[in-house]
Amino acid sequence: MKLSVKLLASVGLFSLTVASSSALAAADEKLRAAAEQAQPAVIESLHDMVLIESGSSDVEGLRKMADFTEARLKALGAKTERRKTTKGAGADMVIGTFEGTGSKKLMLIAHMDTVYEHGILDTQPYKVDGNRIYGPGIADDKGGIAVILHSLKILNDAGWRDYAKLTVSFNPDEEVGSIGSGEIIAELADQHDVVLSCEPTVAPPVARNESLLLGASGTATGTLDVKGKASHAGAAPQLGRNALIELAHQLLQTQDVAKSIPGTQLNWTTAKAGTVRNQIPDHATAGADIRLTIPDGVQKLQAALDEKVKNRLIADTEVSVTVVAGRPPFVADDRGRALAKQGQAIYAELDRTLDIAEMTGGATDAGYAARSGKAVVVESFGLAGWGYHARDEYIDTNSIVPRLYLMTRILMELGKAK
């Protein structure tokens, strides 16, 4: 018996029909063959991109990445635009648009920057070891760029144009909070029905299976500032007001404040005090990494911290704390969950299991794309890998064909949706 499940999700007149895995059991053999044939070209693209060092502050490297991606989009027939980011290093976003014959407006996003400093290839070069290819930024997020470019080539070669508009956005500052591109991404996303974000998925055996992601933390920064009074550390320490000691007191009493506010996380990660050994320091500061999954988390944390720091250890010190919002959290709605389930059914066509991950402590541009709630957003359509933001970052080549198949099939299904 043939079963189907119809899950409706509305954005204006937009609705998404999702078939069950039993109804989608037969793989599209032409697409699978095209994905298999594309694998060597994907690896070549990964090689070329990894050799372009493109840390978030490396303007020249980011220019080379922008040149690379823009040329590839143009070759696919896109109308391209280089848009200057509004803050930060001043690198360009690359935006490509395709006009089709269908009714849906679809958007694909990935980022060109990495966390690595210039010169990283001297100590962490591109290398191949079995089914793993190593290189700085290869998974996060040059693998995502490769999935987009080569999936679109497969569909372009097949003559697929079942969309009203298809937009590709590659930004240069995701690893520093998309400080200059986030608002542009949000604006573009609001003009589309669906946004597929192409951050990596965790590769087995680190994870049980590859996955799609339905939630990512928002970010904020916390700053704790203490003003004391300087004095001679040897001759008259009692005349000083030690800002370092007060800072330590405040760090200890605020370290668990987020535990009382569900959906928030705070970790003090940096500190600075004093300039010379023989002086009681009159100034000390600390910085916090803050993660949020609730929209009012910044306000709640600010209020809780303000209350905590009223308790001083050292009299006559001044203490202030500031929480500044960064990237918004991403929490997919029911429409996103339906789309992720469709991805699971598509993976099942290849006899592969695709998990749905509910949340990660990492932050992604899906937060900007989903901020207004207008578009359906799902994260982690990139390649499977591991080691990002660390040493020996790699992708698993076994994920290339399934990920190309997933992207091409889901775009085709989205194009059919009424």
Side-chain angles (χ1 to χ4, degrees):
M1 182 173 63
K2 191 174 182 179
L3 302 175
S4 66
V5 179
K6 192 173 184 182
L7 301 174
L8 299 180
S10 297
V11 178
L13 297 177
F14 174 65
S15 65
L16 175 67
T17 302
V18 180
S20 71
S21 57
S22 59
L24 292 173
D28 185 321
E29 294 301 334
K30 287 185 178 179
L31 273 186
R32 173 152 55 183
E36 291 170 350
Q37 291 168 8
Q39 177 160 321
V42 171
I43 293 172
E44 182 179 356
S45 293
L46 291 170
H47 171 266
D48 292 346
M49 286 189 285
V50 168
L51 293 189
I52 302 172
E53 294 190 0
S54 56
S56 303
S57 61
D58 189 340
V59 175
E60 178 60 21
L62 290 167
R63 182 191 63 77
K64 292 178 181 178
M65 276 298 300
D67 290 345
F68 178 91
T69 55
E70 183 178 29
R72 297 292 290 269
L73 288 170
K74 282 183 175 179
L76 292 170
K79 177 183 178 182
T80 63
E81 173 190 0
R82 298 276 276 264
R83 191 176 300 189
K84 189 70 67 178
T85 48
T86 59
K87 296 178 183 177
D92 289 342
M93 294 180 68
V94 175
I95 300 169
T97 56
F98 301 82
E99 300 296 329
T101 58
S103 61
K104 296 295 173 287
K105 295 178 181 179
L106 311 175
M107 183 174 175
L108 309 177
I109 62 175
H111 63 91
M112 300 180 288
D113 62 320
T114 76
V115 299
Y116 303 97
E117 295 293 325
H118 189 75
I120 187 64
L121 287 171
D122 294 338
T123 57
Q124 297 187 50
Y126 177 94
K127 66 177 181 179
V128 180
D129 183 8
N131 65 312
R132 293 183 179 181
I133 304 178
Y134 292 83
I138 193 167
D140 186 14
D141 187 30
K142 293 176 180 180
I145 294 173
V147 168
I148 291 173
L149 293 176
H150 289 274
S151 293
L152 292 182
K153 186 176 189 311
I154 289 170
L155 292 170
N156 191 55
D157 290 347
W160 179 77
R161 298 183 65 225
D162 195 8
Y163 51 86
K165 179 170 72 171
L166 192 153
T167 301
V168 177
S169 170
F170 296 138
N171 64 316
D173 58 352
E174 191 274 344
E175 298 293 5
V176 290
S178 301
I179 56 175
S181 64
E183 292 300 324
I184 299 171
I185 292 170
E187 177 187 348
L188 288 172
D190 286 352
Q191 300 168 22
H192 293 78
D193 299 312
V194 179
V195 179
L196 307 182
S197 184
C198 294
E199 292 283 356
T201 179
V202 178
V206 180
R208 184 180 59 180
N209 300 298
E210 296 166 24
S211 65
L212 292 175
L213 180 64
L214 295 183
S217 295
T219 61
T221 56
T223 303
L224 183 61
D225 189 270
V226 179
K227 294 179 181 178
K229 181 181 178 182
S231 66
H232 194 293
Q238 73 281 4
L239 298 180
R241 296 293 181 266
N242 196 316
L244 174 58
I245 299 300
E246 181 63 32
L247 179 73
H249 166 68
Q250 296 295 346
L251 292 176
L252 287 172
Q253 72 168 3
T254 59
Q255 64 178 335
D256 293 329
V257 69
K259 292 182 179 179
S260 64
I261 307 171
T264 70
Q265 175 181 295
L266 178 148
N267 286 292
W268 295 109
T269 53
T270 63
K272 182 179 180 181
T275 56
V276 294
R277 176 190 54 80
N278 57 352
Q279 182 186 61
I280 298 297
D282 64 354
H283 188 224
T285 61
D289 178 272
I290 296 172
R291 305 287 162 149
L292 311 152
T293 58
I294 55 174
D296 58 349
V298 167
Q299 293 81 2
K300 287 183 175 179
L301 271 177
Q302 182 71 67
L305 288 165
D306 286 342
E307 187 63 30
K308 282 282 188 182
V309 301
K310 290 179 181 178
N311 175 33
R312 311 284 168 79
L313 178 67
I314 299 175
D316 301 324
T317 55
E318 297 178 21
V319 181
S320 63
V321 62
T322 305
V323 179
V324 178
R327 197 194 317 268
F330 163 54
V331 180
D333 57 18
D334 289 343
R335 302 167 303 159
R337 186 171 297 279
L339 184 57
K341 288 182 178 295
Q342 187 176 28
Q344 286 185 312
I346 289 170
Y347 246 46
E349 296 173 7
L350 302 177
D351 295 323
R352 293 176 70 97
T353 299
L354 184 69
D355 288 340
I356 294 177
E358 297 294 333
M359 180 60 63
T360 177
T364 83
D365 285 330
Y368 281 112
R371 186 175 64 184
S372 73
K374 293 180 180 179
V376 180
V377 182
V378 177
E379 178 61 271
S380 292
F381 281 88
L383 295 178
W386 190 239
Y388 22 89
H389 293 218
R391 284 193 59 86
D392 300 322
E393 182 175 345
Y394 69 87
I395 62 99
D396 184 344
T397 57
N398 291 329
S399 71
I400 292 175
V401 170
R403 288 275 145 171
L404 292 177
Y405 185 85
L406 172 63
M407 178 62 84
T408 53
R409 279 281 289 112
I410 210 159
L411 285 173
M412 293 177 72
E413 290 300 312
L414 288 167
K416 296 175 185 176
K418 303 300 182 184

